[in-house]
């Protein structure tokens, strides 16, 4: 368990950076031109979207420089790993002919936020500190809730050089994804090889 926790802590900064999605930077398509009932031929409609695009780019630049702390809620305890993830681990690293570690990892453990290193632009809170269900996205907070994430127990191979975990990121009521995170040890450091998306909202 302590080994697994250490790996989760080590990989977390890269994991958060990989799954994080700042909805404030989303560029919505420009709105259609206002209706004009005098138009009789649609080919005659002329619409200059230069200003709209320039405004979007300016907003994006402002937000990237913004020093406001972005709050990311972390699910309090680890998720349970599933059989699909275990099979995917073997398949993803099939060239290395790995075998699964048989340690029982069914029991979740409480995540200690103080252990999780992260970029200075983030502030972490426990998911339980916020409203339940989709009400979380309707809260009137004195901070910007940027998203919700978490991670599962880690399924390792027998050599404990390869592993898989489940993670994802929620950025709204119908905004988010989850996937399998394949990790491996490279020169004594744990790195993310790939995140395979398994569900999108």
């Amino acid at each position: 368990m302590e080994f697994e926790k250490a790996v989760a802590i080590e990989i977390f900064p890269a994991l958060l950076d990989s799954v994080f999605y700042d909805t404030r930077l989303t560029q919505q398509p420009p709105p259609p031109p206002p209706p004009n009932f005098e138009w009789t031929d649609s080919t005659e409609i002329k619409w200059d979207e230069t200003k709209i695009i320039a405004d979007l780019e300016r907003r994006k630049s402002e937000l990237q420089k913004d020093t406001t702390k972005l709050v990311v809620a972390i699910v309090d305890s680890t998720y349970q790993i599933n059989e699909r993830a275990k099979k995917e681990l073997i398949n993803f690293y099939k060239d290395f002919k790995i075998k699964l570690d048989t340690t029982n990892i069914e029991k979740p453990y409480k995540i200690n936020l103080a252990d999780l290193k992260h970029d200075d632009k983030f502030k972490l809170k426990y998911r339980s500190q916020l409203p339940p269900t989709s009400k979380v996205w309707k809260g009137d907070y004195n901070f910007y809730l940027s998203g919700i994430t978490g991670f599962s127990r880690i399924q390792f191979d027998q050599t404990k050089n390869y592993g898989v975990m489940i993670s994802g990121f929620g950025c709204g009521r119908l905004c988010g994804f989850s996937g399998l995170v394949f990790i491996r040890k490279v020169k004594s450091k744990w790195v993310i090889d790939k995140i395979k998306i398994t569900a999108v909202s």
Side-chain angles (χ1 to χ4, degrees), residues 2-100:
E2 293 308 311
F3 171 78
E4 181 185 340
K5 286 182 178 180
V7 173
I9 291 168
E10 181 181 339
I11 206 74
F12 181 78
L15 178 64
L16 182 56
D17 186 57
S18 297
V19 301
F20 176 74
Y21 175 68
D22 192 347
T23 55
R24 301 176 307 162
L25 298 179
T26 302
Q27 288 193 7
Q28 300 295 333
N36 185 333
F37 297 107
E38 295 179 3
W39 288 329
T40 56
D41 184 353
S42 62
T43 62
E44 294 298 317
I45 297 175
K46 294 182 179 180
W47 178 35
D48 184 5
E49 61 185 30
T50 307
K51 183 178 183 304
I52 296 173
I53 293 175
D55 287 344
L56 286 172
E57 289 297 326
R58 178 182 53 77
R59 175 66 175 154
K60 182 176 180 180
S61 178
E62 289 174 354
L63 288 174
Q64 287 175 332
K65 296 175 184 176
D66 191 356
T67 57
T68 301
K69 294 285 186 181
L70 304 177
V71 170
V72 176
I74 307 292
V75 177
D76 298 40
S77 298
T78 54
Y79 311 139
Q80 188 173 23
I81 199 83
N82 56 40
E83 291 302 314
R84 175 185 177 179
K86 296 177 182 181
K87 291 176 182 176
E88 292 270 6
L89 174 62
I90 293 174
N91 185 58
F92 187 79
Y93 292 113
K94 60 186 176 184
D95 291 345
F96 300 95
K97 299 179 181 179
I98 65 170
K99 294 182 180 179
L100 296 181

